[in-house]
Amino acid sequence: MNIFRKKDTSKTRTGMKQHLKIVDLILLGIGAMVGTGIFTITGIGAANYAGPSLIVSIVISALCVSISALFYAEFASRIPANGGAYSYIYAVFGEFPAWIAGWLTIMEFMTAISSVASGWASYLKGLLGGFGIEMPAALNGTFNPQAGTYIDLLPILVLVFVTGVVLLNSKAALRFNSALVVLKFSALALFIIVGLFFIKPENWSNFAPFGFGELYGGKVGIMAGASLMFFAFLGFESISMAVDEIKEPQKNVPRGIVLSLTIVTILYILVTLVLTGIVHYTKLNVSDAVAFALRSVGLSWAANYVSVVAILTLITVCISMTYALSRMIYSIARDGLLPFSFRQLTTTSRVPKNATILVGIVSAICAGIFPLASIASFLNICTLAYLILLAFAILKLRKDKGMPKPDEFKTPFVPVLPILSVIICLSFMTQYTQETWLAFGIALLLGTLIYFGYGYQHSEIHSD
């Protein structure tokens, strides 16, 4: 049995259309990253973890993600394969490590889509509540019979809509996504500009009320805030999962990742500064933090605009991630590690239909049944684990294939940055609870069983 057999999937071309340009990629990345994190998690992070010093947490998280983004950029220019980390690790470490990376990415994106749909529902409920409209109790919350709630219907409905959009040809889906991203920027720009006139510097006086925290095993403080805000940047890797539909992927994928990540980091810092300047951090433990801050200073019209835009544009995160995840499942199925049906493309638009429908169904079930708090940490720990694999993979790539060619992207300071990335990721992982680690262990076990029960025998690479 050879579970480390290798395959360079960049040499396998598909029937997808190559039509996405650099602007499409930047908007895809921003669409995936700017969502629940900026509209909701910023408030929760400030209230419970770091206070105004959450901006330092954001910088630390951005640093960690940026290092991993450099690895993605080099892999994308040297091994331009659809499927992101899964395909890169397949070419460097072999099949089983690649499957684990792919499985963890599927867990990450599936739960991320669910959590964003839940955040979308929170904003919609808040807006409807202002008009005295409420859903029936049984359909207004995740499964909790004691509270009289059995399923959260609104997140399920939005994911049915998102699945329908992604089943369109990818150009149409991303054009719709791009329009919503522009609308999202208008709301955040309004919040920053208007909020500047209501900032009270005394709200920043106790800048780091929870301290720096612990590098390993901390529960509050700047480092714990950084582990939470890591959630905010999830989705940057969605760009590398659409290689087969990108013009000049070796140039445009690295540019798209770096530019979108830079824009999002600046945006998160500005929003958090204004948010904690308007409202004291102790009052920000709410699900609609940005709108709440505006209402607290009497700007109900601006709060309502932000709420409406959040309702419309949190959909962009679901679209971006559903788009990316369906392409990853397609890539894994193409290699035989998942059933053949998931690599079928529609006749006209060349979209992976069954893979997209699978993502929609499972994400909708998770969003309707599991609460947001229970899946955010699980999502993060899955991501951190495969980013550690990617850090080791860049070292192996350099060892096996040497330095990048002049026209390829080169990650600086290797091996220092990969080692630093592993240390930071491990630090973030230790911030999570035993329950999160238990869920992570169960997910790894399930993924391993799927590989040995199905993937190994059906892989397109024949055993030696």
Side-chain angles (χ1 to χ4, degrees):
M1 178 177 281
N2 180 13
I3 62 173
F4 299 104
R5 49 197 180 188
K6 298 178 182 179
K7 180 179 180 180
D8 186 346
T9 54
S10 66
K11 296 177 170 51
T12 305
R13 308 316 303 161
T14 72
M16 294 187 183
K17 300 175 182 177
Q18 288 188 316
H19 52 71
L20 302 182
K21 300 177 182 178
I22 183 65
V23 174
D24 297 312
L25 300 186
I26 293 173
L27 291 173
L28 175 64
I30 293 173
M33 286 184 277
V34 180
T36 303
I38 203 162
F39 286 109
T40 299
I41 303 299
T42 45
I44 294 172
N48 299 330
Y49 292 88
S53 65
L54 189 69
I55 62 167
V56 181
S57 302
I58 290 169
V59 171
I60 293 172
S61 288
L63 173 64
C64 175
V65 173
S66 297
I67 294 172
S68 297
L70 294 175
F71 306 156
Y72 267 98
E74 179 167 331
F75 271 113
S77 67
R78 301 184 72 178
I79 307 174
N82 208 358
Y86 159 77
S87 294
Y88 306 150
I89 292 173
Y90 210 151
V92 173
F93 281 135
E95 190 170 86
F96 181 63
W99 162 255
I100 292 298
W103 176 250
L104 291 174
T105 306
I106 290 172
M107 294 294 100
E108 172 206 350
F109 273 66
M110 203 81 78
T111 50
I113 294 165
S114 302
S115 65
V116 172
S118 297
W120 172 87
S122 296
Y123 266 85
L124 181 57
K125 290 171 186 176
L127 185 65
L128 293 176
F131 296 97
I133 302 172
E134 292 188 5
M135 295 281 292
L139 305 177
N140 198 35
T142 53
F143 187 75
N144 186 358
Q146 292 180 339
T149 60
Y150 293 88
I151 192 167
D152 202 358
L153 183 61
L154 290 178
I156 294 175
L157 293 178
V158 76
L159 287 175
V160 170
F161 170 76
V162 165
T163 303
V165 170
V166 178
L167 284 173
L168 299 172
N169 71 76
S170 55
K171 189 67 175 178
L174 293 185
R175 189 178 292 120
F176 178 73
N177 179 72
S178 298
L180 292 181
V181 169
V182 172
L183 189 62
K184 185 189 304 183
F185 265 100
S186 73
L188 294 174
L190 174 68
F191 172 71
I192 293 168
I193 294 170
V194 172
L196 288 173
F197 296 96
F198 294 89
I199 287 176
K200 298 177 181 178
E202 57 266 29
N203 285 335
W204 295 329
S205 59
N206 190 6
F207 184 71
F210 300 97
F212 184 78
E214 303 293 334
L215 285 176
Y216 290 90
K219 303 305 176 191
V220 294
I222 290 173
M223 283 304 298
S227 70
L228 176 73
M229 291 311 297
F230 187 79
F231 173 89
F233 296 99
L234 300 183
F236 77 92
E237 63 269 53
S238 60
I239 295 172
S240 67
M241 295 182 193
V243 165
D244 284 342
E245 296 169 274
I246 298 172
K247 291 182 177 180
E248 299 184 277
Q250 289 172 296
K251 294 181 180 179
N252 285 333
V253 171
R255 291 173 184 170
I257 290 175
V258 173
L259 289 174
S260 62
L261 194 56
T262 301
I263 293 169
V264 168
T265 301
I266 294 171
L267 193 59
Y268 266 93
I269 290 172
L270 290 175
V271 168
T272 303
L273 270 175
V274 174
L275 187 65
T276 55
I278 295 175
V279 180
H280 196 266
Y281 74 90
T282 55
K283 301 177 182 178
L284 288 173
N285 190 24
V286 293
S287 60
D288 55 349
V290 174
F292 171 81
L294 292 171
R295 288 194 187 97
S296 69
V297 292
L299 297 175
S300 297
W301 63 271
N304 288 337
Y305 178 73
V306 168
S307 293
V308 171
V309 171
I311 289 165
L312 291 173
T313 60
L314 283 176
I315 296 172
T316 65
V317 184
C318 294
I319 292 173
S320 298
M321 289 193 166
T322 300
Y323 173 90
L325 181 54
S326 62
R327 271 64 182 173
M328 159 155 276
I329 291 174
Y330 164 81
S331 297
I332 296 175
R334 191 180 61 191
D335 295 331
L337 303 184
L338 285 174
F340 177 86
S341 61
F342 294 126
R343 65 179 179 181
Q344 292 179 0
L345 300 175
T346 56
T347 306
T348 53
S349 55
R350 313 302 294 167
V351 170
K353 178 181 177 181
N354 292 337
T356 303
I357 292 173
L358 174 71
V359 172
I361 291 173
V362 178
S363 298
I365 292 172
C366 291
I369 297 176
F370 300 112
L372 174 62
S374 67
I375 59 179
S377 295
F378 173 73
L379 185 162
N380 284 356
I381 202 169
C382 288
T383 308
L384 291 163
Y386 81 72
L387 289 182
I388 289 174
L389 283 175
L390 194 70
F392 284 116
I394 199 75
L395 295 173
K396 188 71 160 54
L397 179 70
R398 290 287 183 91
K399 179 181 177 181
D400 293 348
K401 298 189 176 183
M403 299 294 287
K405 297 175 182 177
D407 61 337
E408 296 174 338
F409 185 89
K410 177 185 175 184
T411 301
F413 307 116
V414 174
V416 175
L417 285 187
I419 294 172
L420 180 61
S421 177
V422 171
I423 292 172
I424 295 175
C425 287
L426 286 174
S427 172
F428 285 175
M429 290 176 77
T430 63
Q431 310 288 326
Y432 301 120
T433 62
Q434 289 183 347
E435 289 78 10
T436 301
W437 276 94
L438 177 61
F440 176 64
I442 292 172
L444 279 180
L445 177 61
L446 181 60
T448 301
L449 292 174
I450 291 173
Y451 174 75
F452 287 105
Y454 179 89
Y456 185 83
Q457 290 87 347
H458 293 85
S459 172
E460 291 201 342
I461 302 178
H462 297 294
S463 300
D464 295 334

